Structure formats: C-alpha cells, structure tokens
Amino acid sequence: MRLNKFLSGLAAVLLAFSLCNAASAAPLTKIRTAWMDSYETFAMWYAKEKGWDKEAGLDIDILFFDSGMAILNALPAGEWQYSCLGGVPAMMGNLRYGTSVIGVGTDESACVAVLARPDNPVFKTQGLNPKHPGVFGSPEDVRGKTILCTTVSSAHFALTAWLDAVGVKPTEVTIKNMDQPQALAAFENGIVALWAPHMYAGTDKGWKIAGSAALCGKGTPLVLVADTKYADAHPEITAKFLSVYLRGVEHLRTTSVDELIPEYQRFFFDWAGKTYSKELARLDLESHPAWDIKEQLALFDTSKGMSTVQQWQADTARFFASIGSITPDELKKVENASYVTDKFLKLVK
C-alpha cells in the first residue's frame, strides 16, 4: 500500500516536472521593435535585460534608429511590428501606412526645445507674445536664420510652435534637416532644435533655451505604435508586448533615481554607444513622466468624447495642417485621431 502511494506520488512529481519542462521549452514568439536613444526606451531595455519578455513568451529585438521618421520609413520593409514614436511621425504613420497608436511612452514637452548660444540676438527679447511669456525671440532676430532640426519630428513641432510664438513663418527661415546627434555635433552658432537627452547635452555646453514645446503651450507625447495589420492579427502578442513594456515602467516608477542612474548610464553606453554623466542621467530621469496601466487606460478613455491621447494627436494634425505640412484632405483623415485605440491595453493582464 505504501509502495503504491509512493509510486503515485512519484508519478505526480514526474508529470509536473515534465509539464514544467514542456512549458519552458515552448517556442518564444520573436518580435522586432524600433526605438530611439531616449528615456522611453530604457523601460523596454531594462525589461529585456531582466528576461521579462521571455517570461511573457516573447523574444523582443530592440532596434536602434536616429529618429521617428527613420523608424517609420523602415516599416514597409517589415523591419518592425511595434515602436515608440513622437506624436508627429505617429500621425504621419497613420496617413502613410495606417499604423495605430496603442500606448503612451512619455511626454517630452518640457525637454524638446529650441536652443542658441547665450550671446545670440534672440535673447534680447522675452515675452513678446503675452500668451507665451517665457519665450525668447522677435521677428527681426529670427527671420532669415538657418536652424538645425530633425524634420517631421517632435523637435520640428516645437520649433514651428516657437516660430509661431515669436511671429515668424516657417518659410521665413531655413530649416536644415539633420538627425539629433549630427545637429548636436554640427551646431556652432545660430539656432538648433533638440529633444532629450540631446537637449540636455546642449544646455550642459552652456546653450540657452529660447523656447520649448511646453513654453509654447504644446504637448509632445511619445506614443507606442503598432503595425496595425500585425497587431490586429495577433492581439494576444500585442497585449504581451504592452505588458512587458509596462513592467519596465513599473520598475522606473518604484525605484529611486539614485538607484536607476547607473543602469541608465549603462543603457546608453551598451545600447546606444553614448556616454552620459550622472548629472545628465539624473536630469533626464527626473524630467519624464511614465504611466502605469490604470493611468494609460485613463489617457485613452473615450467615455466623455475624445480621449486625451486622441486630443494630443488631433492637435498635432491641426497644427501641421495650419502651416501647410499636411493637406486639408490629409487632415480630414487624421483629425479625429481614430487610429488611437485602447483595445490592446484592455487585454493586458
């Protein structure tokens, strides 16, 4: 009788062990994701470092790109299924390829800015526009200038908002398209538009902020974007992708900045090949909000009309239509921001 019980118990243990091995041996779903060297990528990088993607049944590639438009241009070749883009390329992604916004990375309105050296004439005038009292510049000191900027980006959005605030049309300046590292390296005098952490590198050199998206009254979110066809065909994988990212976000929210700084520095060095000081890392970590699943769902809530995220994207579309960067017909396609959806966030467990 005892022998039978022992054998039954042993069989149960072996069965559980075999089931566990079978589960661990289940093939991982490989997905390719596209990111830039900025704060929001850290959450996904950290999650990958901890193996949280594998715990969710995924093998996530984290691909490096210099800008949101570079990411967007890689989509037709099938280089990625999910990404994090600025609100501007996210809007263009829907116009060109029907992409969807499925989550929010962070808001960069306070750290996407127009900078110049302290002796630049733009700093002679502040608050010319009473709606934006913190903005520097006047039409006579800005017209005709050459400005370094990554076009069709959050930096371009902030730059255009700054020009509008000081009473200058985009056609009255020369905007020289450069990716962020090039603009940072090439800038010697004049004006440059940068996002974090490149913006912080500029201020670290002594450059001053003439205006930021926040100072010009504009929000510049970074949003999680999906190849809609893939996401709709694989909703469970999309939810897992979001869950891994949000697990990384939870770590950022519950860990002290002092504890995060070494990992943040390692992230930039190992993944992006760049070195940042402790001070720069601290500033970047303290300047970016991140939202958990409940807060994300609140940002996407449409129970009282357009969601907050839809309003952000609609504002971006209307602004670029007002300056002629997209046509009236294109505006009609994206002004209600219906491509912003919470259906995958609602599947996150």
Side-chain angles (χ1 to χ4, degrees):
M1 191 72 164
R2 289 179 180 175
L3 179 60
N4 287 340
K5 286 184 177 180
F6 171 76
L7 291 175
S8 297
L10 180 61
V13 170
L14 291 173
L15 177 61
F17 182 74
S18 65
L19 289 173
C20 181
N21 277 347
S24 63
L28 300 172
T29 300
K30 191 174 188 65
I31 58 173
R32 293 166 63 82
T33 64
W35 306 79
M36 294 174 284
D37 54 338
S38 50
Y39 170 86
E40 70 284 351
T41 308
F42 180 51
M44 181 56 78
W45 176 86
Y46 191 88
K48 176 74 176 179
E49 286 285 295
K50 290 296 183 181
W52 295 339
D53 59 334
K54 291 180 172 58
E55 289 182 22
L58 304 177
D59 180 11
I60 298 178
D61 276 351
I62 307 173
L63 308 175
F64 176 89
F65 287 84
D66 285 325
S67 70
M69 285 306 294
I71 291 174
L72 194 60
N73 292 335
L75 180 59
E79 291 192 30
W80 55 269
Q81 289 84 45
Y82 307 102
S83 179
C84 192
L85 302 169
V88 179
M91 173 197 69
M92 296 303 295
N94 183 259
L95 277 174
R96 291 184 182 180
Y97 310 120
T99 54
S100 298
V101 170
I102 61 170
V104 181
T106 187
D107 176 31
E108 289 212 314
S109 58
C111 47
V112 183
V114 177
L115 300 98
R117 294 187 182 279
D119 58 355
N120 193 290
V122 298
F123 295 112
K124 292 189 302 183
T125 307
Q126 183 180 15
L128 184 67
N129 185 334
K131 293 181 179 178
H132 310 294
V135 170
F136 288 90
S138 65
E140 54 269 28
D141 291 323
V142 176
R143 286 195 185 106
K145 298 297 188 293
T146 296
I147 303 172
L148 307 184
C149 179
T150 307
T151 56
V152 197
S153 70
S154 58
H156 192 186
F157 183 45
L159 169 60
T160 311
W162 175 71
L163 292 173
D164 184 61
V166 299
V168 175
K169 297 177 182 178
T171 54
E172 295 178 306
V173 298
T174 299
I175 299 175
K176 190 172 182 179
N177 183 28
M178 284 189 177
D179 65 35
Q180 293 285 286
Q182 284 180 322
L184 183 64
F187 180 69
E188 294 181 359
N189 50 50
I191 302 168
V192 64
L194 298 170
W195 62 66
H198 309 285
M199 189 212 79
Y200 296 130
T203 56
D204 200 44
K205 294 174 182 287
W207 307 344
K208 288 181 63 178
I209 295 173
S212 67
L215 288 171
C216 295
K218 302 294 180 183
T220 53
L222 280 153
V223 291
L224 299 171
V225 171
D227 176 348
T228 303
K229 290 182 180 178
Y230 184 89
D232 284 343
H234 305 282
E236 74 291 346
I237 294 175
T238 306
K240 287 179 180 179
F241 160 75
L242 288 169
S243 72
V244 174
Y245 179 77
L246 289 168
R247 190 171 178 183
V249 166
E250 186 63 21
H251 175 73
L252 300 190
R253 289 166 56 96
T254 57
T255 306
S256 71
V257 171
D258 286 333
E259 194 174 335
L260 288 174
I261 285 174
E263 288 299 293
Y264 201 59
Q265 290 178 294
R266 187 167 71 87
F267 153 66
F268 271 105
F269 187 79
D270 289 355
W271 187 75
K274 297 177 181 178
T275 302
Y276 287 109
S277 66
K278 289 182 179 179
E279 293 75 19
L280 191 62
R282 178 184 298 279
L283 190 59
D284 211 22
L285 286 165
E286 290 178 342
S287 300
H288 289 86
W291 296 277
D292 63 19
I293 183 62
K294 289 183 179 179
E295 293 162 336
Q296 294 261 349
L297 287 169
L299 289 170
F300 279 76
D301 180 37
T302 57
S303 62
K304 297 179 181 178
M306 291 181 72
S307 70
T308 300
V309 183
Q310 285 177 328
Q311 289 171 358
W312 286 342
Q313 291 301 117
D315 286 346
T316 299
R318 285 191 289 266
F319 186 75
F320 275 93
S322 72
I323 62 170
S325 293
I326 63 173
T327 68
D329 285 342
E330 288 174 326
L331 176 61
K332 289 178 183 177
K333 294 178 182 178
V334 291
E335 67 179 338
N336 65 354
S338 59
Y339 58 93
V340 174
T341 177
D342 62 358
K343 65 182 180 181
F344 302 110
L345 281 169
K346 289 178 176 177
L347 297 177
V348 173
K349 297 179 182 178

